[in-house]
Amino acid sequence: MHTVRIYRLDHLSPTLFQRLKAAQMEAAAVWNACCELHKAARTMQSRWPGQDDLQRVTKGRFALHSQSVQMVVHAFLANIETTRKLRASHPKMRMKYPWKTKRFYPVHWPAQAVSRERGRVVLPMGRGRASLVLHLDLPENSGACTLVWNNGFELHVCIEVPQADQAPGKNKATVDLGEIHLAAVTTNTGAAIVISGRGIRSLKRQRNIRHRRLAKKQARCQKYSRLWYKLQRAKNKMARRIERRVRDLRHKATRQVIDFCKREQVGTLFIGNPHGVRQENKGRYHNQRMAQWEYGKDINYLTHKSEQARIESFTGSERGTSSQCPVCRHRHKPKGRVWKCRKCGFKGHRDVVGSINMHRLAYNQQVTFPRSVTYLRPGPSRRSSRAGTPRAS
């Protein structure tokens, strides 16, 4: 099994920075060539180009390693296939095939093209061209690499990680994702845990406030002036710092969910997809929180970590699970964090109620409400002397 480790490429020389930028522009040119060929085939209503056709057209034309060009072609064809399936299964989404011209695109190198030499990573650029040399000490089990721009260059390295020898057990569990509480997990044996997401929400709120302050200062400056660029660099630096802290908390929270499943000997995990909640219009403040709710990353993190633990995971709709009483099945719209049934008088945690009702959707099994619920925080967030938060004494 593989995971991805991110290496931030700071303090690059101007020459190396321009070479990395040119490499991403060449990868974008490969994508644009594939896009134009596919668009012409759609317009003429002729046979769509396949992998052999696209590789024949892009071979030897671009200043990239041949396998890097092939990786862009494979990514383009995967995009075409995904769009085709979505257009057939979800016509209301009105998905478009790739049509927009790109200026930059991530550059991929497969494992067999990457070489490590005494604390250096050598990324080939093709015959007759100098390789890209990065001073990074990668582990021995590292493989494919991807050059990504994320307010600065990053190298995403695929690393092989050990997988559990056997599944923890045969019990079943469900996960109710949320913005206030990141995850509420219940099992069919009566165990329950709630992981708080207030730390992540607080960091995003902090980022919004600082972004507003810097944007107001920028509005009083002449655009592209020295002071304008200085404020823009400060805004990007602040956003990157908070992004790293949010990612750290998300990893810790999802790790606690999987550790809980291991302790309870869970073999199958259902992850609810709250996409329908995000589409409701409840005012600009609520809509902003919903727009910044990255539940897709929570699903990806839980899926990856459960695969590493050999826990079978799948996802599906959770519609109606938070508005139904787990005892008498009476429906009404709850208010607050405590679910109170107007018919039978049941009281319980709102997110745990949603997780309990998911058992009926996922496994067609009725589960009793747990007697006790464990509340946990993801863990201590990353602290920095320049993060704007006091240090723990």
Side-chain angles (χ1 to χ4, degrees):
M1 183 180 175
H2 295 84
T3 187
V4 176
R5 185 174 298 176
I6 300 175
Y7 293 87
R8 189 78 183 175
L9 302 181
D10 295 324
H11 309 294
L12 296 173
S13 64
T15 303
L16 182 56
F17 185 90
Q18 292 299 326
R19 291 195 62 195
L20 297 180
K21 181 179 178 180
Q24 287 201 338
M25 294 180 70
E26 283 295 312
V30 178
W31 178 278
N32 295 335
C34 298
C35 185
E36 290 298 328
L37 187 61
H38 197 273
K39 189 188 302 182
R42 298 198 309 268
T43 304
M44 300 297 294
Q45 296 184 356
S46 59
R47 185 182 66 87
W48 290 3
Q51 179 177 339
D52 295 337
D53 301 325
L54 294 179
Q55 289 183 354
R56 191 182 309 112
V57 171
T58 57
K59 183 177 181 180
R61 288 181 49 192
F62 303 95
L64 288 175
H65 192 266
S66 59
Q67 293 182 347
S68 299
V69 175
Q70 293 175 9
M71 297 288 280
V72 178
V73 172
H74 294 167
F76 178 82
L77 292 175
N79 190 305
I80 293 293
E81 182 64 19
T82 302
T83 305
R84 185 186 64 81
K85 292 181 179 179
L86 288 176
R87 285 169 66 94
S89 59
H90 299 82
K92 293 184 179 180
M93 295 178 66
R94 298 181 180 179
M95 291 292 295
K96 292 184 178 181
Y97 288 104
W99 60 275
K100 191 174 182 179
T101 301
K102 295 182 180 294
R103 190 181 175 191
F104 301 97
Y105 192 79
V107 187
H108 304 270
W109 288 272
Q112 58 267 27
V114 181
S115 59
R116 302 181 302 271
E117 301 176 357
R118 297 180 181 179
R120 301 190 309 168
V121 182
V122 180
L123 305 174
M125 293 297 295
R127 183 177 299 178
R129 290 181 288 270
S131 301
L132 297 174
V133 180
L134 304 176
H135 294 277
L136 295 175
D137 191 10
L138 300 184
E140 293 294 332
N141 55 349
S142 60
C145 297
T146 305
L147 180 65
V148 178
W149 173 265
N150 183 19
N151 291 321
F153 283 111
E154 295 177 348
L155 190 68
H156 294 193
V157 183
C158 186
I159 297 177
E160 186 176 357
V161 294
Q163 195 174 14
D165 297 334
Q166 58 183 0
K170 297 183 179 180
N171 295 331
K172 300 176 181 179
T174 58
V175 180
D176 180 75
L177 300 177
E179 192 221 0
I180 297 178
H181 295 105
L182 188 140
V185 192
T186 58
T187 66
N188 57 344
T189 59
I193 188 173
V194 174
I195 310 297
S196 175
R198 296 181 184 273
I200 294 178
R201 193 171 72 157
S202 175
L203 287 173
K204 292 180 179 179
R205 177 60 177 163
Q206 185 182 55
R207 179 188 59 192
N208 295 340
I209 294 175
R210 295 183 180 181
H211 184 92
R212 182 185 62 184
R213 292 175 181 172
L214 292 174
K216 284 185 177 180
K217 293 181 179 179
Q218 271 189 317
R220 294 193 292 266
C221 303
Q222 183 178 358
K223 197 171 185 179
Y224 305 128
S225 62
R226 293 178 62 183
L227 181 56
W228 187 92
Y229 274 116
K230 182 178 180 180
L231 294 172
Q232 185 66 28
R233 286 192 297 268
K235 189 161 58 175
N236 293 338
K237 186 175 181 180
M238 175 270 302
R240 291 196 301 268
R241 185 188 303 123
I242 293 183
E243 179 186 357
R244 291 192 297 268
R245 297 177 68 188
V246 169
R247 185 174 60 202
D248 177 66
L249 287 178
R250 178 171 286 109
H251 271 295
K252 291 177 180 178
T254 52
R255 172 54 58 192
Q256 286 190 349
V257 172
I258 299 303
D259 290 343
F260 169 77
C261 293
K262 288 181 180 180
R263 292 193 301 268
E264 298 298 327
Q265 298 182 354
V266 173
T268 307
L269 181 65
F270 174 77
I271 307 170
N273 191 335
H275 180 70
V277 179
R278 192 174 183 177
Q279 301 303 314
E280 299 179 1
N281 186 1
K282 299 294 184 180
R284 62 192 186 102
Y285 293 108
H286 175 81
N287 293 345
Q288 183 187 39
R289 291 195 298 269
M290 290 294 101
Q292 294 179 350
W293 180 20
E294 301 169 312
Y295 62 85
K297 291 185 178 180
D298 298 333
I299 295 176
N300 292 337
Y301 283 24
L302 288 172
T303 303
H304 179 79
K305 288 179 171 60
S306 60
E307 182 182 355
Q308 183 179 358
R310 298 184 68 88
I311 298 176
E312 181 184 356
S313 64
F314 63 101
T315 185
S317 175
E318 61 173 26
R319 184 176 178 84
T321 55
S322 297
S323 59
Q324 186 179 28
C325 177
V327 178
C328 65
R329 299 191 181 183
H330 173 71
R331 288 185 178 274
H332 78 272
K333 188 175 180 181
K335 294 183 180 180
R337 306 314 307 168
V338 179
W339 210 100
K340 299 179 181 179
C341 183
R342 300 173 182 175
K343 187 176 181 180
C344 67
F346 166 81
K347 292 184 180 181
H349 193 281
R350 177 176 176 176
D351 296 331
V352 177
V353 168
S355 181
I356 286 292
N357 290 331
M358 287 182 191
H359 283 270
R360 191 181 304 111
L361 287 179
Y363 311 114
N364 196 20
Q365 179 183 10
Q366 179 65 31
V367 178
T368 58
F369 196 84
R371 293 184 176 180
S372 62
V373 179
T374 303
Y375 296 85
L376 293 178
R377 295 178 180 177
S381 62
R382 290 185 175 182
R383 296 287 180 176
S384 172
S385 58
R386 304 183 65 178
T389 53
R391 289 180 176 272
S393 57

